Amino acid sequence: VRIWTSGVDGADVFDRIWLPCNSENWSQIRTDNSVDNDIEFKVPENVMATASVPTDPDADMNISRPGIQELDPIDTREFKVMYNGRLIIKRFKPRTFYTLSFIQE
């Protein structure tokens, strides 16, 4: 099991923030080998070259992240999607528990 664990050093072309994901029961590992990178998402190589692993190889790695807010049936979540100051989607309504990426050229 691998989890990205890297601090930010300004190498992310999309200005994403990469923070360590550590636990007292995990060890951090790193490779000095070149890591193939996904062209579309352009994850910085220093992020892809680092990971956490369980200190005990037989242990599970459980990660919980709060933040998904369930809406009441009468509520709606809606966004405007802008790219370089230009409106590209006027009314975007994300589907519940579904991930979507926008690619704008």
Side-chain angles (χ1 to χ4, degrees):
V1 174
R2 295 186 49 176
I3 298 173
W4 292 324
T5 63
S6 180
V8 180
D9 67 0
D12 193 294
V13 297
F14 296 119
D15 291 329
R16 292 169 294 195
I17 297 172
W18 300 92
L19 299 173
C21 186
N22 297 320
S23 167
E24 63 186 45
N25 299 321
W26 300 351
S27 297
Q28 284 65 53
I29 60 172
R30 176 177 183 75
T31 182
D32 291 326
N33 294 324
S34 180
V35 179
D36 240 352
N37 203 339
D38 183 286
I39 294 170
E40 181 180 355
F41 294 106
K42 297 182 172 117
V43 177
E45 188 170 3
N46 68 322
V47 173
M48 295 300 294
T50 60
S52 292
V53 295
T55 304
D56 175 355
D58 296 322
D60 294 331
M61 290 181 77
N62 297 314
I63 302 169
S64 296
R65 293 282 186 230
I68 296 178
Q69 176 188 19
E70 292 191 48
L71 300 178
D72 290 329
I74 61 168
D75 291 334
T76 301
R77 181 170 287 130
E78 185 175 285
F79 302 93
K80 292 179 186 175
V81 179
M82 310 280 291
Y83 179 74
N84 286 341
R86 187 174 60 110
L87 182 66
I88 61 171
I89 299 176
K90 186 175 183 177
R91 300 176 87 179
F92 173 68
K93 295 180 182 179
R95 290 175 36 199
T96 303
F97 299 112
Y98 183 79
T99 302
L100 180 67
S101 296
F102 294 99
I103 298 174
Q104 183 68 32
E105 296 182 28

